[in-house]
Amino acid sequence: GQSLEQPSEVTAVEGAIVQINCTYQTSGFYGLSWYQQHDGGAPTFLSYNALDGLEETGRFSSFLSRSDSYGYLLLQELQMKDSASYFCAISNTGNQFYFGTGTSLTVIP
Amino acid sequence: DAMVIQNPRYQVTQFGKPVTLSCSQTLNHNVMYWYQQKSSQAPKLLFHYYDKDFNNEADTPDNFQSRRPNTSFCFLDIRSPGLGDAAMYLCATTGGRNTEAFFGQGTRLTVV
């Protein structure tokens, strides 16, 4: 089987930086990606890592350590609109795509 | 333009009455997924297709079936909906395991 664990809730101040961690267990790991989901909406893609290291996409960066089965999403210059749920997701060699437990981010003024 | 379209956005069905949810994609992607998402929970993978190759998750109830008549369309059939099947159902597609997943807006199913 597989498991992906994230903190359930994070609160941060507007303009600050926040890190959301994800630890996973799976077989046939291929890559780790991150999705944002606002209430009532569909998940939208933020970032993807197949190799170790940091990927930067604007205000969002994602990091992967395959040896530690660990990754994180870094959000910089937080804005109120960043309040949402964030999911890590793993893809594997079987084309399966599993989501983590999700982190609810609240940005406060 | 929407690349993954789910119909309807909202569906109300009676307990035990079969219901079908539909999904179409304009990306010509190989892989299509169906997820169930309940309130404040993560999307749970039900099954996926790689082309016409159907892959069921071990814990997906037999009550849930799927059809993919061609690359563009995929259907989720719930044979006998129970109250516990009320949820948001999300369809997604990827071009393969190393690409981003595109999601439809979902169908919110209510069982009465």
Side-chain angles (χ1 to χ4, degrees):
Chain A
Q2 68 293 317
S3 68
L4 298 92
E5 295 294 328
Q6 302 177 233
S8 58
E9 294 180 344
V10 172
T11 300
V13 178
E14 191 176 14
I17 299 173
V18 71
Q19 178 174 313
I20 299 174
N21 298 321
C22 173
T23 56
Y24 62 86
Q25 286 185 306
T26 189
S27 56
F29 175 86
Y30 198 85
L32 183 74
S33 50
W34 290 90
Y35 288 78
Q36 179 191 64
Q37 186 179 32
H38 285 99
D39 280 347
T44 56
F45 174 79
L46 294 175
S47 191
Y48 174 79
N49 297 74
L51 302 175
D52 287 357
L54 192 68
E55 290 286 335
E56 297 181 76
T57 311
R59 293 190 299 116
F60 300 97
S61 303
S62 60
F63 172 83
L64 174 65
S65 169
R66 295 173 68 121
S67 59
D68 294 324
S69 298
Y70 164 77
Y72 65 73
L73 178 70
L74 198 69
L75 296 84
Q76 302 180 73
E77 301 172 17
L78 278 175
Q79 302 175 9
M80 299 299 290
K81 68 178 182 180
D82 296 330
S83 293
S85 292
Y86 292 83
F87 295 95
C88 59
I90 51 174
S91 51
N92 65 19
T93 52
N95 289 299
Q96 290 155 312
F97 199 80
Y98 297 110
F99 280 80
T101 51
T103 299
S104 176
L105 171 65
T106 302
V107 180
I108 57 176
Chain B
D1 288 342
M3 294 173 283
V4 182
I5 300 168
Q6 290 188 242
N7 284 304
R9 290 290 309 278
Y10 301 91
Q11 175 76 56
V12 180
T13 191
Q14 290 182 325
F15 183 95
K17 183 176 180 180
V19 65
T20 295
L21 310 182
S22 72
C23 176
S24 63
Q25 54 121 343
T26 60
L27 297 163
N28 205 35
H29 280 173
N30 302 98
V31 192
M32 293 187 78
Y33 304 86
W34 279 104
Y35 291 88
Q36 179 192 65
Q37 187 176 27
K38 297 186 176 181
S39 183
S40 301
Q41 295 184 20
K44 180 181 181 301
L45 181 63
L46 296 174
F47 24 62
H48 78 277
Y49 277 93
Y50 185 91
D51 291 330
K52 282 199 172 283
D53 184 23
F54 176 71
N55 299 272
N56 199 29
E57 292 298 302
D59 58 354
T60 297
D62 291 341
N63 197 26
F64 292 87
Q65 304 285 320
S66 186
R67 296 169 284 136
R68 189 179 187 186
N70 54 52
T71 300
S72 300
F73 285 88
C74 196
F75 300 98
L76 171 62
D77 301 309
I78 309 176
R79 294 194 296 189
S80 182
L83 297 179
D85 297 327
M88 174 75 85
Y89 289 88
L90 293 162
C91 172
T93 183
T94 73
R97 52 189 179 240
N98 60 341
T99 61
E100 73 176 89
F102 294 89
F103 283 82
Q105 287 301 303
T107 295
R108 183 165 296 282
L109 179 69
T110 301
V111 182
V112 298

